[in-house]
Amino acid sequence: MRVAESLNRALHEVLADDSSVRVLGEDVLDPYGGAFKITKGLSSRFPGQVLATPISENGIVGVAGGLALAGGKAIVEIMFSDFVTLAFDQIVNFASKSVSMYGRPLRLPLIVRCPSGGGRGYGPTHSQSLQKHFIGVPGLAVYEVSPFDDHRELFGEMLARGEPCLLFEDKILYTRQIFGGGIADDLFRYDVLPQAGQVTRVYLDDPEQADCVIIAPGGMAHRALAAMRTLLLEREITCLLLVPRRLYPFDLAALSPLLERAGAVVVAEESTAGGTWGAEVAQQVHSRLWGRLRRPVSLVHSAASVIPAAAHLERDVLVQDTAIVRAVQELLP
């Protein structure tokens, strides 16, 4: 099953299980079923729970936030994550604050889905990874879809938080197969660390004997795996990949022993550098493990550039597996 199909099935199950959930967004009704078909079939099966909206991201999120604050549950689809900037006020100044600013805690179960990332030739305003702009907002959780995840469980976790959540979905992942059975590919296995907030751990043989730890969100998973393969086959360097389900809040405490044993850490993300999730993770690693790492934490980002539509130019801008390989080699000369 592909990631897009898994997300679609998860939404069907969410709406079937809870009649108070509403899905809102532009072109989410059948027969279109959303720009990437993640909402396909929902309006036909649950006509009262799926609401098509005008083209107004600020209005969509505002209505959804009010619905959630009034006792319902809302899942919003932003057609491209680039447009979530138009709803920044409703997310940061209304929804995230409403859970705590009225003198008593209030529930506001809201999920804002954001198809993100480049690699599909959509150009500068339809290809960005804007996660960093929402890191550190009190009352706002940030998640990223992973090919290792149970997506029905993911939606359940976000709704159960009772606070607004942003879910970034890398568009390239939509066409990728879901990993299952603890097998990532012919070389690597994986398991999940529930004590670390559902962080997936991908490894060769023994996760505690890796030369380097790579920390990357779900949209980077395949590029990180490709880098791990290259490093193993060409340099005999073994890496451990950690893929968190929730980017923020992100508590590194349960992962510290793995990082300390390796002594070398690379954090990779598709965002451009500067005030990013990766920088926040690196700061946590530094403060916990400084003095026990062999080298400073290495950060891998896309180039400081708009994202071109032409495929060859897009590849030059967006972070590739080769950049992760270089970062690991520099840590382990």
Side-chain angles (χ1 to χ4, degrees):
M1 178 184 294
R2 299 185 187 276
V3 169
E5 296 164 338
S6 177
L7 290 167
N8 177 258
R9 185 174 72 174
L11 286 172
H12 273 270
E13 293 175 359
V14 167
L15 269 61
D17 292 345
D18 190 342
S19 61
S20 71
V21 178
R22 298 292 184 271
V23 172
L24 302 86
E26 302 159 12
D27 293 330
V28 294
L29 300 184
D30 291 332
Y32 195 62
F36 299 99
K37 310 308 175 188
I38 308 302
T39 62
K40 183 179 180 181
L42 292 179
S43 64
S44 298
R45 185 178 174 191
F46 309 100
Q49 292 176 252
V50 183
L51 309 174
T53 68
I55 302 174
S56 173
E57 284 73 17
N58 195 49
I60 300 167
V61 176
V63 168
L67 188 156
L69 190 60
K73 301 180 182 73
I75 301 174
V76 169
E77 175 173 292
I78 303 294
M79 191 173 288
F80 287 84
S81 72
D82 311 67
F83 308 149
V84 76
T85 55
L86 296 167
F88 195 82
D89 180 59
Q90 289 292 341
I91 294 169
V92 173
N93 284 329
F94 170 66
S96 66
K97 303 298 183 289
S98 292
V99 297
S100 60
M101 72 178 181
Y102 298 122
R104 61 185 175 88
L106 293 175
R107 290 180 56 80
L108 199 156
L110 167 66
I111 300 170
V112 181
R113 295 182 39 248
C114 301
S116 63
R120 295 186 64 156
Y122 291 145
T125 62
H126 293 69
S127 305
Q128 298 167 92
S129 296
L130 299 177
Q131 290 88 326
K132 68 179 183 179
H133 298 292
F134 299 93
I135 299 298
V137 178
L140 179 65
V142 180
Y143 287 76
E144 183 160 336
V145 165
S146 163
F148 300 101
D149 247 335
D150 177 331
H151 296 127
R152 174 63 185 91
E153 183 183 282
L154 169 64
F155 280 111
E157 177 182 324
M158 289 188 290
L159 290 172
R161 290 185 70 87
E163 65 180 8
C165 299
L166 285 178
L167 177 62
F168 286 90
E169 304 170 3
D170 192 289
K171 296 189 290 290
I172 291 294
L173 272 189
Y174 285 152
T175 62
R176 300 277 191 170
Q177 294 289 329
I178 291 287
F179 293 121
I183 305 297
D185 61 17
D186 58 333
L187 283 178
F188 301 108
R189 303 185 60 83
Y190 74 90
D191 56 21
V192 177
L193 303 175
Q195 72 274 18
Q198 298 298 112
V199 173
T200 299
R201 179 174 65 171
V202 186
Y203 52 91
L204 180 63
D205 295 311
D206 184 351
E208 298 189 356
Q209 297 299 318
D211 300 310
C212 181
V213 175
I214 301 170
I215 305 175
M220 289 291 301
H222 288 87
R223 281 168 278 186
L225 281 170
M228 290 167 64
R229 176 182 289 273
T230 298
L231 289 162
L232 178 65
L233 298 181
E234 296 184 7
R235 294 289 301 272
E236 297 186 354
I237 294 173
T238 58
C239 294
L240 168 66
L241 171 63
L242 299 175
V243 182
R245 170 186 287 183
R246 188 178 69 231
L247 303 186
Y248 186 86
F250 182 57
D251 185 1
L252 204 69
L255 303 174
S256 293
L258 291 171
L259 306 180
E260 184 176 356
R261 276 190 288 270
V265 179
V266 171
V267 185
E269 59 188 335
E270 191 170 301
S271 168
T272 55
T276 70
W277 167 79
E280 167 66 16
V281 173
Q283 181 274 331
Q284 288 194 38
V285 175
H286 174 93
S287 63
R288 287 180 178 275
L289 299 177
W290 180 248
R292 285 168 282 178
L293 296 175
R294 285 179 278 176
R295 298 286 297 275
V297 180
S298 180
L299 294 173
V300 178
H301 303 285
S302 294
S305 168
V306 298
I307 301 172
H312 67 291
L313 297 176
E314 192 178 35
R315 283 192 297 271
D316 289 343
V317 167
L318 297 175
V319 62
Q320 304 296 329
D321 58 286
T322 51
I324 303 175
V325 170
R326 287 195 300 270
V328 173
Q329 289 177 333
E330 288 171 2
L331 286 179
L332 303 170

